[in-house]
Amino acid sequence: MIELKNNQLIFRFPEVHPKAVGQIDFMKTLRIPDDVRQYPLPAGIGSFHLEHIEDHVKRVPEHWRSRGGVLLPMHQSEAMWINFSGDYPMAIKIATGKINAITGEAWTNELSDEPQDYVVLSEQPWLDGYAIERGTVRQFVAAQLGKNVTVEEQVTGEAEFGGIQIIAFPMKEEVYREYFESPRGLVLDCIEEVLYSEECYSDALEMGIAPGGMIRQEIYEDEYG
């Protein structure tokens, strides 16, 4: 179940565990120069405003209504970083225009660990942009679809989807209890694939996400398997 509350996406999986809750915030920041220099993390300037597509059915295209999701208005002068919070471990995949932000590969609903194509909540506190090499990401910035500057167009040559895609996989209940509730403190070497998922799609009018300037950031490896 996904809830939009106070400009925050809240993922709840009560069928998995009462504590299986995670939050995502889309944060505004300064757009750094897109040059060969690598910059430190710029200051945050508040969260982006989010609204349900269903609240604007008379003003948005039909294919938006059929997908559902939320609207995120974003100026081309702005950049975005994604903040993760919650205590229950989850694997979260982020894509723009259905291109994975961690690997640069086409979107799939499944998880992959070779290479790891997701971030781990709560080990990963935030994501500043597209991972281009170890320790370096390029900012999420707005770009008009059809101008061949979005990641989607650069990878596929098409401007079909745009927007942002997110899917979250909570840790299985039995695995969570072994890691965090077992008095034996048992560590598991292998975990089966996660069974539950929630998806949301967020599109903006004729907008996609392009790679901006470079920022230093690590993508933390999944220690749970």
Side-chain angles (χ1 to χ4, degrees):
M1 179 177 69
I2 301 175
E3 178 185 4
L4 173 57
K5 185 177 182 180
N6 298 325
N7 295 323
Q8 184 180 65
L9 288 183
I10 304 173
F11 293 78
R12 301 182 189 275
F13 298 90
E15 72 277 24
V16 179
H17 194 282
K19 295 181 179 180
V21 180
Q23 297 87 27
I24 295 180
D25 296 273
F26 299 91
M27 309 300 295
K28 293 183 182 180
T29 189
L30 303 174
R31 184 169 179 167
I32 63 174
D34 184 7
D35 53 26
V36 296
R37 295 179 57 190
Q38 189 181 80
Y39 292 86
L41 180 67
I45 49 176
S47 60
F48 282 97
H49 181 68
L50 305 179
E51 293 198 16
H52 290 286
I53 286 180
E54 290 79 6
D55 294 337
H56 301 272
V57 292
K58 295 182 179 180
R59 302 173 60 189
V60 300
E62 170 59 33
H63 66 275
W64 290 22
R65 298 195 294 269
S66 63
R67 292 183 191 176
V70 298
L71 299 171
L72 187 158
M74 186 176 180
H75 293 288
Q76 287 183 286
S77 60
E78 298 172 323
M80 175 185 69
W81 59 278
I82 302 173
N83 185 64
F84 307 104
S85 56
D87 296 324
Y88 195 96
M90 296 185 187
I92 299 180
K93 298 183 68 168
I94 304 286
T96 66
K98 293 205 171 182
I99 300 299
N100 191 290
I102 306 301
T103 63
E105 301 294 330
W107 175 267
T108 65
N109 287 346
E110 296 76 25
L111 296 176
S112 171
D113 59 0
E114 293 183 0
Q116 180 177 314
D117 64 354
Y118 57 91
V119 297
V120 180
L121 186 157
S122 57
E123 303 300 319
Q124 185 84 34
W126 64 78
L127 182 65
D128 291 309
Y130 301 97
I132 59 172
E133 61 184 30
R134 189 174 184 86
T136 303
V137 300
R138 294 187 65 179
Q139 274 189 310
F140 294 120
V141 299
Q144 184 178 351
L145 284 176
K147 300 296 185 180
N148 202 35
V149 293
T150 67
V151 168
E152 175 185 6
E153 292 169 87
Q154 292 179 20
V155 173
T156 69
E158 302 290 336
E160 182 179 359
F161 297 105
I164 302 167
Q165 294 78 44
I166 301 172
I167 187 167
F169 297 80
M171 179 178 279
K172 285 184 176 181
E173 179 184 23
E174 61 268 28
V175 179
Y176 179 84
R177 295 193 185 282
E178 290 288 356
Y179 266 104
F180 300 101
E181 297 179 351
S182 172
R184 297 172 296 170
L186 190 65
V187 176
L188 304 183
D189 293 324
C190 182
I191 304 173
E192 296 178 2
E193 63 176 323
V194 181
L195 296 182
Y196 302 95
S197 68
E198 291 280 358
E199 276 193 84
C200 83
Y201 294 93
S202 170
D203 287 39
L205 182 59
E206 297 298 318
M207 192 195 85
I209 305 295
M214 292 188 294
I215 298 175
R216 294 189 293 272
Q217 184 185 25
E218 287 289 338
I219 303 298
Y220 295 95
E221 294 184 4
D222 180 7
E223 298 180 354
Y224 304 115

